[in-house]
Amino acid sequence: MRVKIPAHLAISLAVAILCGLATIYATVPLYQSYIEKTAYPAYLETAAVGPGNVGYDAAESTPHASSLADIQQHDTFALEVIHYKSADVVENQRYYNLTLSNGEVVIGHLAGDAHIQGIGTTQSGDALYLLPVGRWETLDLPAGYSGVLSGEGYADNTHFVECVGETYLTMGEFAVQQPGYKIVSKLWIVVFIGVDIVCATILKRRKAARQAAQRGAEHLG
């Protein structure tokens, strides 16, 4: 059984589809251009990512630290160590014992894929490594914790070196998280529904007016 669609509904549906497609082709490129040229570059400028920031390679201006005294002098620094060994996992964070070139041991938090660079040897011949940029933070252990991090073998067991920084969003991830993405992705639906309703209403009224005029002419005749 064939279903016959009234002409005014078919026409309004076709017009709505065309307007919806036109909306997509008009707004999506504009939104993409805005993200690429304005929004994403601005985000990268404010995000603490890249060389010199916590969790990333040291920049030329990043101070190096090889002792607890050095650590306490700077807001951020690149730590020089001769050993880095996993110590414990607390609340899903893995902490390390970091042995500084002067023999002091401090607690550190490193990412699993941290970029650790070999930078030569100490005067005594020990291999020397440079960790990603870090900052000195208070160690907040759970109540009742009695693991290795609470031991007395550290130069300071109340703080740790945080070497895990911010991770930046790719352009695609950034774009879909913006409020404008939801607007652009659903605008064509709003246009489609709106045009369909308006067009169908106008055509239906015109059809009714023509029919009324035709009936009036037949009555007069």
Side-chain angles (χ1 to χ4, degrees):
M1 180 179 176
R2 296 178 64 182
V3 179
K4 185 177 181 180
I5 301 176
H8 71 282
L9 292 181
I11 294 172
S12 62
L13 183 61
V15 173
I17 290 174
L18 290 175
C19 289
L21 291 174
T23 300
I24 292 174
Y25 285 112
T27 57
V28 171
L30 289 175
Y31 179 70
Q32 291 177 335
S33 178
Y34 165 72
I35 292 296
E36 293 174 3
K37 297 179 180 179
T38 304
Y40 191 66
Y43 158 72
L44 291 179
E45 288 181 2
T46 59
V49 298
N53 290 293
V54 173
Y56 295 85
D57 290 345
E60 291 185 4
S61 59
T62 304
H64 287 204
S66 56
S67 68
L68 180 61
D70 292 341
I71 290 172
Q72 294 172 336
Q73 287 181 9
H74 306 287
D75 293 329
T76 58
F77 47 84
L79 202 62
E80 296 181 359
V81 301
I82 55 177
H83 296 297
Y84 50 97
K85 182 180 180 180
S86 179
D88 200 1
V89 177
V90 182
E91 295 183 335
N92 297 319
Q93 292 199 106
R94 182 173 296 279
Y95 292 92
Y96 290 76
N97 288 341
L98 306 177
T99 304
L100 311 182
S101 56
N102 69 348
E104 294 176 316
V105 180
V106 295
I107 302 168
H109 178 217
L110 297 170
D113 58 351
H115 183 209
I116 300 174
Q117 307 173 60
I119 56 173
T121 59
T122 63
Q123 291 182 349
S124 59
D126 292 314
L128 192 60
Y129 303 94
L130 187 66
L131 302 185
V133 176
R135 62 174 177 266
W136 195 229
E137 291 195 354
T138 300
L139 181 62
D140 186 16
L141 296 172
Y145 176 83
S146 58
V148 296
L149 299 182
S150 59
E152 298 181 355
Y154 298 107
D156 182 337
N157 64 0
T158 63
H159 294 79
F160 73 102
V161 179
E162 176 60 88
C163 291
V164 177
E166 295 183 21
T167 56
Y168 66 90
L169 302 173
T170 64
M171 187 179 298
E173 292 169 337
F174 176 79
V176 298
Q177 290 188 13
Q178 302 310 297
Y181 176 79
K182 293 182 178 179
I183 296 174
V184 170
S185 62
K186 292 180 172 58
L187 182 60
W188 75 271
I189 299 176
V190 175
V191 171
F192 172 82
I193 294 174
V195 170
D196 187 39
I197 292 173
V198 172
C199 191
T201 301
I202 292 174
L203 292 176
K204 186 176 181 179
R205 288 177 179 176
R206 287 183 178 180
K207 180 180 179 181
R210 286 196 303 268
Q211 291 174 342
Q214 186 177 0
R215 287 194 299 270
E218 291 175 352
H219 179 73
L220 294 174

